[in-house]
Amino acid sequence: MIRKYENHSLLPYHTFGMDVKAAVFVEYSSVDELKQVLEQEVRGKEKWLHIGGGSNLLFTGDFDGTILHSAIKGYEVLSDSEEEVLVRVGAGEVWDDFVAYAVDRDWYGAENLSLIPGEVGASAVQNIGAYGMEAKDLIVKVEALEVATGKECTFLNMDCRYAYRESIFKKEWKGCYIITHVTYRLTKRRAFHLEYGNVKDELAKQGCEPTLKKVREVIIRIREAKLPDPKVQGNAGSFFMNPVIPRMQYESLLAKYPEMPHYKVDEEWVKVPAAWMIDRCGWKGKQMGRAGVHNKQALVLVNCGGATGQEIITLSQRIQQSVFETFGIAIVPEVNFLS
Ligand code: EPU
């Protein structure tokens, strides 16, 4: 059923906790309904936006256009061999429910991405990632409707041009397609990725062999300890992306900051943690009016209660400025600003 509301509160549909409204809000639950919605509510309209779980959005005021949300649900096993399974999932499923579904069945691949907020459709747009794994490592194909024509299209992983927090759906094809289903490949072979951060140490503390359930538990525990719960304190997870800089630049920074962490991208490029630089600039736990920097993870900006989107943006600009002045590196928000 298509659900359409006017002057609809967006409070339940985003995680930053701003009490803003959408002029029109439409939710659909099938591909056919989406075709109808595109025809009646989207084509020819100047302002519309498709949202997922709203965990990457910052509204600076009411949204005077149409917001779309998918309620396309369901899991379908497309193939099941001794080695692997291919699972086709509706774009409106909650991402972490998919991770739990895979872990419950002893299928490997999604566990490191436990508790990432958001929905399946957005996983394929944002290429969500954590603890050394990204959605692109699992995605086989993405099904979508072309906005201009309503045509059903299928894209293979390589068509989506995935990179760190990037895909073609965020760039050249922004606003051109709406994802309806994503097919993921999960493996039945025991294969863990525990090299990143303190995942291995946390598992070792428990003194047991890793199992899928244990890895999921540990990752959930680490995330819960570091990241604020949006139900308690509005936030959108990492506010900035980790910048990728030339290795030469990183090496010259090392002379001044020998403890600066980094992750190798390839021979020429390295990724440096924005959280570490923000922390070094003294922002962790700081507050400017009703906007703040989380006291356990400097990459997360928080709504300390009643903050406007603009207050958060002002704080983010001050942080960008001080990181640039200190390290000569421009950090870019991962969060989308909307009004
Ligand atoms: N660090 C600090 N101070 C802080 C926080 C971190 O110095 O306040 C240092 C850490 O010691 C570490 C480095 O910065 O050396 C990286 O920190 P962390 O491992 O916590 O990860 P991150 O790079 O800050 C990324 C993702 C997170 C994901 C974690 C774990 C991005 C933009 N963020 O954060 O994703 O959970 O790695 O894999 O890539 C999200 O996108 O919303 C998100 C939470």
Side-chain angles (χ1 to χ4, degrees):
M1 192 175 75
I2 297 175
R3 293 192 171 84
K4 180 175 172 183
Y5 309 93
E6 280 170 23
N7 209 20
H8 195 57
S9 170
L10 292 173
L11 208 45
Y13 300 99
H14 75 125
T15 57
F16 240 124
M18 277 92 196
D19 194 6
V20 290
K21 290 191 168 66
V24 180
F25 184 94
V26 182
E27 190 172 67
Y28 57 88
S29 35
S30 69
V31 172
D32 283 341
E33 285 183 6
L34 175 57
K35 285 183 185 171
Q36 209 177 311
V37 168
L38 287 178
E39 209 167 295
Q40 292 166 0
E41 308 288 344
V42 175
R43 250 172 254 138
K45 297 267 166 65
E46 242 169 60
K47 195 165 174 183
W48 63 272
L49 170 75
H50 199 293
I51 62 167
S55 50
N56 232 349
L57 305 178
L58 179 66
F59 287 98
T60 55
D62 289 340
F63 188 82
D64 63 351
T66 301
I67 293 212
L68 309 180
H69 184 247
S70 171
I72 298 182
K73 303 281 187 190
Y75 296 83
E76 186 188 350
V77 175
L78 297 184
S79 73
D80 186 347
S81 71
E82 244 173 59
E83 290 273 300
E84 63 180 36
V85 284
L86 298 190
V87 191
R88 178 178 182 256
V89 189
E93 287 287 354
V94 170
W95 169 261
D96 192 55
D97 290 349
F98 164 64
V99 178
Y101 165 96
V103 167
D104 280 350
R105 285 160 182 76
D106 270 336
W107 296 339
Y108 294 76
E111 59 285 354
N112 286 23
L113 306 178
S114 288
L115 211 64
I116 293 185
E119 294 170 2
V120 160
S123 78
V125 176
Q126 302 283 6
N127 184 23
I128 56 173
Y131 304 103
M133 293 292 288
E134 292 179 318
K136 77 165 170 53
D137 304 326
L138 309 174
I139 292 173
V140 176
K141 66 177 182 183
V142 172
E143 291 164 69
L145 288 193
E146 188 177 37
V147 172
T149 59
K151 196 174 109 199
E152 293 178 35
C153 306
T154 299
F155 303 108
L156 298 180
N157 181 304
M158 62 180 292
D159 302 325
C160 304
R161 303 228 199 113
Y162 286 123
Y164 167 63
R165 298 289 198 274
E166 285 297 355
S167 76
I168 196 161
F169 303 109
K170 282 177 80 175
K171 295 194 142 173
E172 291 93 324
W173 292 354
K174 191 170 178 178
C176 298
Y177 295 94
I178 292 175
I179 294 176
T180 58
H181 297 87
V182 183
T183 299
Y184 303 97
R185 175 184 286 114
L186 298 160
T187 168
K188 292 188 181 174
R189 257 180 301 123
R190 196 180 140 84
F192 292 109
H193 300 271
L194 307 175
E195 310 72 32
Y196 189 98
N198 49 350
V199 180
K200 207 186 248 169
D201 298 346
E202 284 294 319
L203 276 165
K205 267 191 219 159
Q206 309 210 349
C208 56
E209 277 294 294
T211 61
L212 271 175
K213 284 207 167 61
K214 275 274 166 257
V215 172
R216 176 165 161 78
E217 260 172 48
V218 161
I219 289 199
I220 289 177
R221 200 165 331 126
I222 297 174
R223 286 187 74 95
E224 282 179 341
K226 280 209 284 196
L227 300 169
D229 178 354
K231 289 190 202 92
V232 179
Q233 195 170 40
N235 73 90
S238 300
F239 195 90
F240 300 99
M241 289 193 268
N242 286 330
V244 175
I245 61 168
R247 179 170 288 276
M248 297 264 278
Q249 185 183 4
Y250 170 68
E251 277 165 8
S252 63
L253 281 163
L254 268 188
K256 201 164 171 200
Y257 306 102
E259 71 292 10
M260 188 176 199
H262 76 293
Y263 312 104
K264 180 179 171 181
V265 175
D266 57 30
E267 294 313 317
E268 280 172 50
W269 299 91
V270 296
K271 189 156 73 176
V272 290
W276 184 86
M277 294 190 284
I278 297 169
D279 199 348
R280 273 303 290 246
C281 291
W283 283 102
K284 195 156 156 177
K286 289 271 161 63
Q287 214 172 312
M288 258 177 66
R290 295 171 293 184
V293 180
H294 188 48
N295 57 7
K296 296 199 186 99
Q297 195 354 329
L299 200 52
V300 180
L301 302 196
V302 290
N303 177 352
C304 304
T308 61
Q310 193 49 55
E311 282 174 90
I312 304 277
I313 293 177
T314 304
L315 172 62
S316 78
Q317 288 166 341
R318 290 284 297 275
I319 293 172
Q320 282 174 306
Q321 194 184 346
S322 90
V323 167
F324 190 74
E325 282 164 6
T326 310
F327 298 98
I329 295 176
I331 53 170
V332 177
E334 188 188 347
V335 169
N336 295 308
F337 300 169
L338 298 156
S339 60

